[in-house]
């Protein structure tokens, strides 16, 4: 009986263990499924997070690109505003120069008329004077037939002494010749002024560069002659398609600036030359020069090294714009204390507006 009871107890224990194992296995399977479900859910969440992160990164990149585009557009607008301001300044200056040119042309025309008839009258007077000299020579030759002790001879001698006759004959001729020369110079200056400031300068034409330089030099000579000697070193140039009066304006600005840069009497070299299909004009002085730090700014509007009230700072800016309009380039080289050289390069034939100017040597 005891052995039977022991066997039955052993069987109950094994069944209990089996039942526990089954329960544990069920619990493990349930937990495994829960873990698998949680893992799948976690993977879905991770995928969603990665997708969201990618969208955020893409959005951030797009926003950066938009910001960069806005910054670029802002830079372009700032550059455009600067160009518009520069263009406005040049338009104002061009209108002012056109008004001054019209005034100068009108004054020159009014001066030209009286100078013309004064010069004509002097030429006629010179002919009359030589006729009178011939008549006087005839009278002088006839004096020998008048008795030396006669009253008539005495009156003639007294009149000749009173008038200083011999000196008078020489001086009147010299005075008339000098007057004719002076009126001729005035006429040349007036003509140069009319050529320099003539209306209708918007028309391109084939121009003699050396004639334009001489005309400009004649116009500004009063500004230069007390400050510098001008040395002309002209090369062999063909006629050049350009806007002559505007080019003359550029050269005038450079010549006046060169004269004003002289602390004492100096030299200005006006040179020209040709290289291939381009010509160059050079204005070089031995004045005080320009500091290296200021060279990059000299073509900026309103920038000037002159004292307040002595300059507007527009001359070189307008000159730069004119040279660009002519399809050329302008360069400056300067050594402080030794002098400054401006060089203008221009095409011989009018360049197409869309064609960039070639680099100068």
């Amino acid at each position: 009986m005891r052995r039977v009871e022991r066997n039955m107890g052993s069987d109950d224990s094994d069944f209990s263990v089996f039942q526990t194992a089954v329960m544990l296995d069920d619990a493990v399977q349930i937990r495994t499924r829960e873990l698998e479900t949680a893992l799948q859910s976690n993977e879905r969440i991770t995928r969603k997070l990665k997708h969201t992160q990618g969208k955020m990164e893409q959005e951030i990149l797009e926003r950066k690109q938009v910001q960069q585009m806005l910054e670029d557009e802002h830079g372009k607008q700032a550059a455009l505003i600067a160009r518009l301001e520069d263009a406005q300044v040049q338009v104002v200056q061009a209108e002012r120069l056109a008004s001054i040119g019209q005034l100068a042309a009108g004054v020159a025309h009014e001066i030209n008329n009286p100078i013309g008839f004064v010069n004509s009258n002097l030429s006629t007077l010179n002919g009359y004077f030589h006729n009178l000299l011939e008549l006087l020579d005839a009278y002088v030759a006839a004096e020998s037939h008048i008795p030396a002790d006669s009253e008539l001879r005495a009156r003639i001698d007294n009149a000749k002494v009173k008038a200083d006759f011999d000196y008078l004959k020489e001086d009147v001729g010299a005075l008339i010749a000098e007057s004719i020369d002076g009126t001729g110079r005035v006429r040349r200056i007036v003509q140069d002024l009319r050529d320099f400031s003539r209306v209708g300068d918007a028309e391109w034409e084939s121009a003699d560069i050396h004639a334009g330089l001489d005309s400009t030099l004649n116009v500004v000579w009063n500004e230069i002659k007390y400050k510098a000697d001008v040395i002309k070193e002209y090369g062999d140039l063909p006629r050049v398609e350009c806007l002559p009066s505007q080019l003359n304006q550029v050269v005038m600005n450079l010549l006046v600036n060169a004269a004003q840069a002289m602390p004492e009497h100096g030299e200005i070299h006006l040179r020209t030359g040709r290289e291939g299909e381009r010509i160059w004009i050079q204005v070089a002085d031995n004045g005080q020069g320009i500091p290296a730090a200021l060279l990059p700014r000299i073509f900026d509007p309103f920038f000037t090294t002159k004292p307040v009230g002595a300059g507007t700072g527009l001359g070189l800016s307008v000159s730069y714009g004119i040279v660009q309009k002519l399809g050329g380039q302008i360069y400056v080289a300067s050594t402080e204390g030794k002098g400054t050289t401006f060089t203008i390069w221009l095409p011989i034939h009018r360049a197409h507006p869309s064609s960039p100017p070639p680099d100068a040597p």
Side-chain angles (χ1 to χ4, degrees):
M1 289 292 291
R2 284 194 295 273
R3 187 164 52 250
V4 170
E5 288 177 354
R6 286 196 299 272
N7 290 337
M8 289 180 64
S10 174
D11 291 341
D12 289 340
S13 176
D14 291 341
F15 180 77
S16 177
V17 170
F18 173 76
Q19 188 176 19
T20 301
V22 170
M23 292 174 60
L24 288 174
D25 183 63
D26 291 342
V28 168
Q29 290 181 5
I30 292 171
R31 186 61 178 166
T32 300
R33 285 194 295 270
E34 291 177 349
L35 289 173
E36 287 177 350
T37 302
L39 180 61
Q40 291 174 357
S41 176
N42 186 44
E43 288 177 350
R44 286 196 298 271
I45 293 172
T46 301
R47 286 195 297 271
K48 289 182 178 179
L49 287 174
K50 287 183 178 179
H51 180 68
T52 303
Q53 183 181 7
K55 290 179 65 178
M56 290 179 64
E57 290 177 350
Q58 181 66 24
E59 186 175 352
I60 291 172
L61 179 61
E62 290 176 354
R63 289 185 177 182
K64 286 182 177 179
Q65 291 175 346
V66 171
Q67 183 179 3
Q68 185 63 43
M69 290 174 61
L70 289 173
E71 291 177 354
D72 293 343
E73 187 65 25
H74 177 72
K76 291 179 181 178
Q77 289 181 354
L80 181 59
I81 290 171
R83 289 176 60 187
L84 287 174
E85 291 176 349
D86 188 20
Q88 185 178 8
V89 168
Q90 293 191 21
V91 168
V92 171
Q93 182 71 357
E95 290 178 352
R96 185 182 304 170
L97 291 173
S99 300
I100 295 174
Q102 291 178 353
L103 178 62
V107 171
H109 179 73
E110 293 301 322
I111 293 174
N112 196 50
N113 289 334
I115 285 297
F117 65 70
V118 168
N119 187 70
S120 176
N121 290 346
L122 284 172
S123 299
T124 304
L125 180 61
N126 190 44
Y128 290 165
F129 173 69
H130 284 91
N131 291 338
L132 286 174
L133 282 182
E134 293 178 0
L135 179 59
L136 286 174
D137 288 340
Y139 280 121
V140 169
E143 284 183 14
S144 59
H145 301 288
I146 301 173
D149 56 351
S150 67
E151 181 181 354
L152 178 60
R153 184 65 177 268
R155 287 174 58 191
I156 293 174
D157 292 339
N158 289 335
K160 290 173 66 175
V161 171
K162 184 178 180 180
D164 197 357
F165 179 67
D166 293 332
Y167 174 75
L168 189 66
K169 286 198 303 181
E170 296 179 1
D171 196 44
V172 170
L175 290 176
I176 293 176
E178 288 176 3
S179 298
I180 292 174
D181 180 65
T183 55
R185 291 177 59 187
V186 172
R187 293 191 68 181
R188 286 194 299 273
I189 293 172
V190 169
Q191 184 61 46
D192 289 338
L193 185 60
R194 293 176 65 184
D195 292 342
F196 178 83
S197 59
R198 67 181 179 274
V199 183
D201 58 358
E203 296 295 329
W204 286 72
E205 60 182 270
S206 179
D208 183 344
I209 297 298
H210 291 156
L213 295 180
D214 291 339
S215 172
T216 303
L217 191 59
N218 202 13
V219 170
V220 300
W221 182 243
N222 191 60
E223 180 76 19
I224 298 175
K225 62 182 179 182
Y226 300 112
K227 298 179 180 179
D229 296 324
V230 177
I231 302 172
K232 295 191 290 188
E233 303 172 29
Y234 291 169
D236 185 15
L237 297 186
R239 297 184 72 86
V240 176
E241 288 185 76
C242 63
L243 303 171
S245 61
Q246 293 194 18
L247 180 59
N248 291 345
Q249 177 68 39
V250 174
V251 176
M252 185 194 75
N253 288 338
L254 297 182
L255 288 171
V256 171
N257 284 349
Q260 293 175 346
M262 301 290 181
E264 53 188 31
H265 199 83
E267 290 183 352
I268 298 175
H269 291 261
L270 186 58
R271 307 184 180 102
T272 64
R274 176 180 180 175
E275 193 166 301
E277 291 302 308
R278 293 182 296 162
I279 63 105
W280 52 267
I281 304 168
Q282 194 173 79
V283 179
D285 65 71
N286 60 350
Q288 58 191 6
I290 303 172
L294 301 181
L295 280 176
R297 301 179 56 195
I298 61 172
F299 294 115
D300 293 346
F302 304 111
F303 177 77
T304 179
T305 58
K306 299 174 184 176
V308 176
T312 62
L314 291 174
L316 288 178
S317 174
V318 171
S319 298
Y320 184 86
I322 291 173
V323 173
Q324 290 288 311
K325 185 195 300 185
L326 296 175
Q329 295 169 305
I330 182 170
Y331 296 90
V332 58
S334 184
T335 302
E336 196 169 2
K338 292 187 177 180
T340 303
T341 299
F342 283 91
T343 305
I344 302 168
W345 288 84
L346 295 175
I348 295 175
H349 303 289
R350 184 179 181 182
H352 192 277
S354 62
S355 301
D359 292 333

